[in-house]
Amino acid sequence: MNENLPPCPKCSCEYTYEMNALVVCPECGHEWVPAEGGAEGGGDTGERVVKDAVGNVLNDGDSVTVVKALKVKGSPSGIKAGTKVRGIRLIDGVDGHDIDCRIDGFGAMQLKSSVVKKA
């Protein structure tokens, strides 16, 4: 059962188990996300990967297209599906808003990566 699960990075316990998307150590209680591609466990402090609605990896400076109509507080219309947004920046936002951008006619705003598609 534990053949493919890594040992705990804190206490080196080999009796780890999966709980949803996390791996948990029963001895010290440490929880972590397992490395995807078999990278070295200790040096895995790299960038987080942000994917769009269809699974494409997004990077700073990419152009994206909004895939569904979005309501904007204080605006009678909203952002229509198909609106192109250029020069995005990836951020660690709140409530899943991980894209910082400027949209013509609306100004600066934050979007969720799940409502955009790489152009």
Side-chain angles (χ1 to χ4, degrees):
M1 186 162 103
N2 282 357
E3 305 89 35
N4 58 354
L5 294 177
C8 178
K10 280 197 171 183
C11 70
S12 300
C13 173
E14 60 186 33
Y15 301 110
T16 56
Y17 62 92
E18 285 185 288
M19 184 171 65
N20 297 330
L22 298 174
V23 178
V24 182
C25 175
E27 290 185 5
C28 68
H30 180 64
E31 299 177 348
W32 73 97
V33 178
E36 289 282 329
E40 294 149 6
D44 196 22
T45 59
E47 300 178 14
R48 65 186 184 104
V49 176
V50 177
K51 295 186 178 183
D52 66 2
V54 293
N56 298 323
V57 177
L58 297 174
N59 297 310
D60 285 342
D62 283 346
S63 294
V64 295
T65 304
V66 178
V67 295
K68 74 179 216 179
L70 302 172
K71 294 181 182 179
V72 177
K73 190 185 286 188
S75 172
S77 61
I79 299 173
K80 295 180 181 178
T83 302
K84 188 163 186 173
V85 181
R86 286 175 275 175
I88 65 169
R89 282 186 351 180
L90 301 179
I91 59 169
D92 290 327
V94 293
D95 289 335
H97 293 84
D98 46 10
I99 297 175
D100 194 22
C101 62
R102 182 171 301 280
I103 300 175
D104 293 336
F106 291 96
M109 47 178 42
Q110 294 181 351
L111 298 172
K112 293 183 178 182
S113 60
S114 61
V115 297
V116 298
K117 162 177 94 163
K118 194 170 187 174

